[in-house]
Amino acid sequence: MKLNFYYSGIRGVEIPDKNLLGVFKPKVSDNNFEIEKLVWEALQNPIGTNKLDQEVKPGDKILILSDDNTRATPVDKILKVLLPYLHELGIKKEDIIILMAVGTHRPMNQRELVAKLGQRIVDEYKVVNHLWNKKEENIYYGKTSKGIEVWGNKLLREADYVIGLGHIVPHRVAGFSGGGKIAQPGVSTGKTTGETHWLSALVPGSEIMGKRDNPVREQIDESARLMGLNFIINVVQDLKGKVVGVFAGDFIAAHRAGCALAKEVYGVRIPKADIVITDSYPADIELWQAAKGIYSSELVVKENGYVILVTPCPEGVSKAHPEIEKFGYLSLEEVKKLVENKELQELSVAAHLVHVGRVIKEKAHGIMVCPNISDELKEKLGFIPAASVQEALSYALNKKGKDASIVVMLHAGEILPINN
């Protein structure tokens, strides 16, 4: 079988039919929903809370949290419905701020903001990036039940009402994206984000991915509540990015309903295999994001198998987190020692190292096909470098034998493997 990838700069691969167990990807919906209509219907039927006309009043300062350009959420289309609705309720343009919830990613540039929000909104409304590492921009909101100190953007406290916009896909750290994640880690500091991420590092992926209610999500929800998140509008999209559902309302109740649909869309029954070829689409900007393709493979690759990560990463490993290149991917015990010795203090990075390390250091081996990361750096990170997917597959077959089973996961950054 000849398989091509989404990336023009990466050649396809020929896979022996007798080895291939299947090519798997999220589902494509047959429905042709109008997103603006779905958003309006969701706003008129919020889950777990009142309609906005009972929640906000003229003169209120409204803060809208939007996910960034690493997410496929059609925020521009959501805002085309939400903003006029707010204006009908007496909210003026000058009383609305759109805060880009970049988490610990780099700030979005002007071109990216326009692509995400639309030129008119960037021109007519106040749009700002969350700056997670600027002390003067963030304040203390309190502690969660597990003692996590919640620090985040001060604009949430200054607002009368906070609305979060995002999408729901399977997520290694939180079970699913969306919901309260727009606040934590969306507009939190690295300290708070590190502590919630580190919690997830202590738990195998099989106990978190695709499970809405888990110990990490509990702390995320508590953080979001402390920070003052009032309302969410979350979308669920299919493989092609088409919106198949919109959920608005309380950030826990509405999110829980959205996760049920996301599990149907992204949940795919996949057999375990000796060799897993995984892309990272659509999380492709840098390895910090592209590692999502590795996370999902944890649930599919057999012990001592091989995971082949196929990704472009035009911005390399991570501009915001140089510690990844410094330490490389490691086992949980190795990262624990770095944290205990205070050699690695950024816990979100520590968690990231563990999530990838669980797969390519503890359970299996990793091979990377990426034109924008050097072979030397791939090896330093803990991957076996390969110039092409064909070369990577030949290497893995040589190691595992001519009868080794192969699974391919496309759109793997958003796939939820189900084995039973």
Side-chain angles (χ1 to χ4, degrees), residues 149-176:
E149 292 187 1
V150 180
W151 291 80
N153 198 290
K154 64 184 180 182
L155 291 176
L156 281 79
R157 180 163 292 171
E158 296 170 3
D160 295 303
Y161 202 77
V162 182
I163 301 171
L165 312 180
H167 76 159
I168 303 174
V169 296
H171 195 277
R172 172 61 180 85
V173 172
F176 286 93

Side-chain angles (χ1 to χ4, degrees), residues 14 55 171-172 207 243 261 297 333 344 396:
E14 290 189 3
E55 295 286 305
H171 195 277
R172 172 61 180 85
E207 295 181 24
V243 173
L261 178 58
S297 70
E333 292 307 314
L344 178 56

Side-chain angles (χ1 to χ4, degrees), residues 279-293:
D279 70 2
S280 66
Y281 191 84
D284 300 322
I285 292 177
E286 59 182 4
L287 190 56
W288 175 260
Q289 290 292 315
K292 290 179 179 180

Side-chain angles (χ1 to χ4, degrees), residues 94-115:
E94 54 266 34
D95 288 330
I96 296 174
I97 297 176
I98 300 171
L99 176 61
M100 304 311 297
V102 303
T104 57
H105 306 161
R106 63 163 174 77
M108 294 174 67
N109 60 41
Q110 188 71 9
R111 177 183 54 80
E112 291 166 338
L113 290 171
V114 170

Side-chain angles (χ1 to χ4, degrees), residues 68-86:
D68 68 7
N69 57 316
T70 65
R71 277 32 177 192
T73 313
V75 172
D76 55 343
K77 293 181 173 62
I78 298 172
L79 291 175
K80 283 180 182 177
V81 179
L82 176 61
L83 291 173
Y85 182 38
L86 290 173

Side-chain angles (χ1 to χ4, degrees), residues 56 92 133 213 302 309 326 351 353-354 404-405:
V56 303
K92 298 178 180 178
N133 54 356
D213 294 297
K302 291 181 179 180
L309 177 63
K326 179 180 179 181
L353 299 185
V354 171
S405 54

Side-chain angles (χ1 to χ4, degrees), residues 65-257:
L65 310 179
S66 166
D67 58 12
D68 68 7
N69 57 316
T70 65
R71 277 32 177 192
T73 313
V75 172
D76 55 343
K77 293 181 173 62
I78 298 172
L79 291 175
K80 283 180 182 177
V81 179
L82 176 61
L83 291 173
Y85 182 38
L86 290 173
H87 296 324
E88 285 178 16
L89 301 179
I91 307 297
K92 298 178 180 178
K93 283 184 179 179
E94 54 266 34
D95 288 330
I96 296 174
I97 297 176
I98 300 171
L99 176 61
M100 304 311 297
V102 303
T104 57
H105 306 161
R106 63 163 174 77
M108 294 174 67
N109 60 41
Q110 188 71 9
R111 177 183 54 80
E112 291 166 338
L113 290 171
V114 170
K116 184 77 176 182
L117 306 177
Q119 187 69 60
R120 186 183 67 81
I121 288 172
V122 172
D123 290 342
E124 297 181 10
Y125 293 83
K126 183 176 181 181
V127 179
V128 295
N129 279 300
H130 168 60
L131 302 175
W132 62 275
N133 54 356
K134 298 290 184 183
K135 287 185 177 180
E136 64 273 18
E137 300 293 328
N138 297 281
I139 59 173
Y140 178 64
Y141 283 95
K143 279 186 181 180
T144 69
S145 59
K146 289 192 179 296
I148 294 175
E149 292 187 1
V150 180
W151 291 80
N153 198 290
K154 64 184 180 182
L155 291 176
L156 281 79
R157 180 163 292 171
E158 296 170 3
D160 295 303
Y161 202 77
V162 182
I163 301 171
L165 312 180
H167 76 159
I168 303 174
V169 296
H171 195 277
R172 172 61 180 85
V173 172
F176 286 93
S177 66
K181 276 188 92 272
I182 200 69
Q184 199 329 277
V187 290
S188 301
T189 65
K191 173 179 171 57
T192 302
T193 297
E195 292 192 35
T196 55
H197 278 58
W198 185 240
L199 270 180
S200 73
L202 307 178
V203 183
S206 59
E207 295 181 24
I208 288 186
M209 277 196 75
K211 300 183 187 302
R212 194 278 163 195
D213 294 297
N214 59 70
V216 181
R217 173 59 69 169
E218 178 184 69
Q219 296 306 295
I220 287 171
D221 287 343
E222 288 185 24
S223 300
R225 190 74 74 192
L226 286 168
M227 294 172 74
L229 179 61
N230 300 108
F231 193 95
I232 60 165
I233 304 172
N234 279 184
V235 302
V236 175
Q237 296 159 275
D238 72 0
L239 173 66
K240 295 185 178 296
K242 182 167 56 177
V243 173
V244 296
V246 179
F247 300 84
D250 174 74
F251 72 85
I252 294 178
H255 183 249
R256 189 171 282 130

